[in-house]
Amino acid sequence: YASPLILACPELTDLDLSGSKLTDSLLRGAITYHQAVHHQLTALNLSGCTPLSDETLREVTAACPHLRYVNLSQCPNITLDNVRFPSLEQARLLDCDGLQAASIHSLNFSVALQEVTLDDCALLTGVGVALPQ
């Protein structure tokens, strides 16, 4: 369980839990349990965390409002439905089987977005993201 280690690092800015075998509820608890601790978090790698759900992702973005980088590659259960990343600059979304064209429109709410990497997302056909000018 990663939470005690994470909670002991109040200045944590980058968190890499890629490939972890944590359940969705443990992922949620590890990142969101003490929201005040994670206000510094700017980079989050959850690639390969296959149990990750949109519900957990919504709680993570609420607990970590300054996320500028997120890697959600190989997270087949996420659709980005009602997920908002207000400070996001870079998103890596490779092999995300749950993403559809409509899902990607959640990124339109990321006013600082500069780069999105999409590849091998089986349900994506055509994607339009309105980037700020």
Side-chain angles (χ1 to χ4, degrees):
Y1 186 77
S3 190
L5 175 63
I6 295 168
L7 294 178
C9 304
E11 299 299 317
L12 189 68
T13 58
D14 293 22
L15 179 59
D16 186 343
L17 293 175
S18 59
S20 71
K21 302 300 179 200
L22 297 174
T23 65
D24 189 53
S25 61
L26 286 176
L27 281 169
R28 184 181 312 130
I31 299 169
T32 66
Y33 185 68
H34 290 285
Q35 288 188 8
V37 173
H38 299 299
H39 280 286
Q40 303 290 337
L41 202 61
T42 59
L44 181 60
N45 185 346
L46 295 173
S47 64
C49 294
T50 55
L52 183 66
S53 70
D54 284 335
E55 179 183 350
T56 292
L57 202 49
R58 282 188 291 273
E59 290 186 32
V60 166
T61 58
C64 308
H66 302 294
L67 279 178
R68 293 190 321 245
Y69 171 83
V70 68
N71 185 342
L72 301 172
S73 298
Q74 299 173 342
C75 294
N77 298 324
I78 62 163
T79 66
L80 297 182
D81 184 39
N82 291 315
V83 177
R84 303 292 184 260
F85 298 95
S87 302
L88 193 66
E89 295 174 4
Q90 290 182 296
R92 210 167 151 75
L93 304 165
L94 308 175
D95 196 23
C96 294
D97 293 337
L99 293 183
Q100 300 178 15
S103 308
I104 302 303
H105 292 291
S106 290
L107 297 176
N108 288 340
F109 295 94
S110 303
V111 296
L113 191 62
Q114 298 172 13
E115 180 181 337
V116 178
T117 305
L118 291 166
D119 192 24
D120 203 22
C121 299
L123 298 178
L124 283 180
T125 52
V127 176
V129 177
L131 296 175
Q133 306 221 1

